[in-house]
Amino acid sequence: MREILPELSRWYTAGEPFGLATVVAVSRSAPRGPGAAMAVGPDDEVVGSVSGGCVEGAVFELAKEVVETGRAQLQTFGYSDEDAFAVGLTCGGEITLLVRPVTAVYDTSFGEVAASVAGHRPVVVATVTDGPAPRGAALAVWPDTVSGSLGASGLDAAVTADARGELALGATGLRHYGPNGERREDDVTVFFQSFAPPPRMLVFGAIDFAAAVARIGAFLGYRVTVCDARPAFADPRRFPDGAEVVVDWPHRYLSDTEIDGRTVMCVLTHDPKFDVPLLEVALRTPAAYIGVMGSRRTHEDRLARLRATGLGEAALSRLRSPIGLDLGARTPEEVAVSIAAEIVALRWGGTGSPLADTVGAIHPPRLKSV
C-alpha cells in the first residue's frame, strides 16, 4: 500500500473514484502478505499487486464492480485444479481480499492518511471486512486524533483504543468485536493496517560501496542515512536522491540518533579509528542488524579491540562480519546485493540457501508489520 499511495492520492485529490483491493488474510504459501494492495483507477489504470500475477485479472473486474455499485466485497482466492490458471493461486496458498470503492464520500480520511504516510507520521487504518457493520467502512487512528467511523460509537471507541496500542508495534492483521465493540465477541471483523515510519538504514563510511548499499536500501524501503567524518567523501552528489548524507564522526552521530529494533547498520569504514568507537556504541543499541566490512583478519583484530572496551561475547556475537552472504560478489553493486540478502534473510528467518535445496513452504510465516 505504501508504494502505491502517491498514485492513489492523485486520484483521490482529483475526485476520481477507484477500487482498492487489500490482502487482509493469507494461509500457506501465499505470495504476498496482509496489507499488499492493488487499485484500479480512471481509464482502467492499475497500480500495485496482490498476488504477483495469479489473480490480478479477477481482482481487476472486482475493483471495477465495487466502484460501479458502491458496495465493498470480501473475496477469497485459493488453489483449485479446475481454475488454478484462471482465478486461482498456482502456488497453492490462499488469500482473502477486501475490495472497496474509495472516494471522498466513501472514505473521508483517505487523504489525511496518505499525507501522514508521506510525512512518516504513524497511523493505523481500521476497516470493517465482515459482520453486522458497514463492510468497507474505515476509521483512521493517530496518536492524538481519529477520522471516520465504523458505524457504531462503541465499535469506534474499542477499535481506537486497540489501534493506538498497535501503533508502537506496527502490527497488521484482523481483530474481532461485537457490534458495539464488545471485546469477547466476534461478530464484526476489522482489518488493522499500521503505517509505521519506514525503518532506517545507517551506512557508515562514504566509500564507493556505500552508494550501492544506499541505493538498494532505498529500494527495500529503508530511510537511508550515510555518515562519514570526511567532507570530501560525504558529498550528497555521490549518493542517490532521498539519501540523507551527514558529515560527522560516526560514533558521535550514532550516540545522538534514536535507534529501534528495525534499524539496520552497515559499517563500511574498515578503519579502527572509525569503526571501533562506532561499534562500541552500536552494540549497545537494539538495532536489528549490524554488519561490518573487512577481512577475517580485520574482524579478529576488531574483536580484540572491542573486548578491550568491556564488551562481552553476547554483544560481540551480534556482529555480522564479514558483512553479507557468500555470493562471490566483487563489484560494489554485487556486494550491496550480498548485504541486502543477509538483511532480508535475518528479517524473515531465511537460511540463505538455494530454494532448490530446501524443503517445506517457500514463504515462511510473515511478521505482523508493515
Side-chain angles (χ1 to χ4, degrees), residues 73-90:
Q73 296 189 36
L74 191 69
Q75 180 72 51
T76 297
F77 294 94
Y79 183 84
S80 85
D81 291 332
E82 295 179 357
D83 60 2
F85 290 96
V87 294
L89 291 183
T90 56

Side-chain angles (χ1 to χ4, degrees), residues 67-323:
V67 171
E68 293 173 0
T69 64
R71 294 192 299 271
Q73 296 189 36
L74 191 69
Q75 180 72 51
T76 297
F77 294 94
Y79 183 84
S80 85
D81 291 332
E82 295 179 357
D83 60 2
F85 290 96
V87 294
L89 291 183
T90 56
C91 63
E94 184 176 278
I95 61 173
T96 299
L97 304 175
L98 175 67
V99 189
R100 65 188 181 98
V102 179
T103 68
V105 174
Y106 296 126
D107 191 340
T108 59
S109 59
F110 188 88
E112 297 173 81
V113 170
S116 293
V117 175
H120 305 316
R121 184 185 179 202
V123 60
V124 176
V125 178
T127 311
V128 174
T129 66
D130 204 8
R135 178 175 287 161
L139 178 72
V141 181
W142 292 266
D144 54 356
T145 188
V146 298
S147 179
S149 175
L150 303 183
S153 59
L155 183 58
D156 288 348
V159 168
T160 296
D162 289 345
R164 286 183 173 145
E166 302 288 11
L167 276 173
L169 300 175
T172 287
L174 296 172
R175 282 182 174 265
H176 304 277
Y177 302 88
N180 292 300
E182 296 88 347
R183 303 281 184 178
R184 297 186 179 182
E185 298 184 23
D186 58 3
D187 299 308
V188 179
T189 303
V190 179
F191 178 64
F192 281 63
Q193 186 166 15
S194 297
F195 294 95
R200 299 195 65 187
M201 172 182 281
L202 306 181
V203 182
F204 295 101
I207 61 175
D208 51 354
F209 290 90
V213 171
R215 283 194 296 272
I216 203 165
F219 177 75
L220 291 177
Y222 287 93
R223 182 161 61 96
V224 179
T225 298
V226 179
C227 176
D228 198 302
R230 301 163 293 184
F233 289 87
D235 185 340
R237 293 173 297 182
R238 301 180 58 226
F239 298 95
D241 293 340
E244 178 187 27
V245 181
V246 174
V247 180
D248 200 351
W249 279 86
H251 72 282
R252 185 167 60 193
Y253 171 77
L254 185 58
S255 296
D256 293 332
T257 300
E258 184 176 349
I259 304 299
D260 63 24
R262 301 184 303 154
T263 304
V264 301
M265 302 186 201
C266 302
V267 181
L268 311 181
T269 50
H270 53 78
D271 184 332
K273 69 175 178 290
F274 288 113
D275 59 23
V276 171
L278 168 63
L279 292 172
E280 185 180 359
V281 177
L283 289 170
R284 302 183 194 279
T285 72
Y289 173 89
I290 304 171
V292 192
M293 181 173 279
S295 67
R296 299 189 191 282
R297 178 179 297 178
T298 298
H299 176 61
E300 292 302 320
D301 175 71
R302 185 187 295 124
L303 288 178
R305 292 172 184 267
L306 290 170
R307 289 188 183 99
T309 70
L311 286 169
E313 296 306 311
L316 296 177
S317 68
R318 296 176 59 203
L319 288 179
R320 299 280 172 159
S321 176
I323 194 171

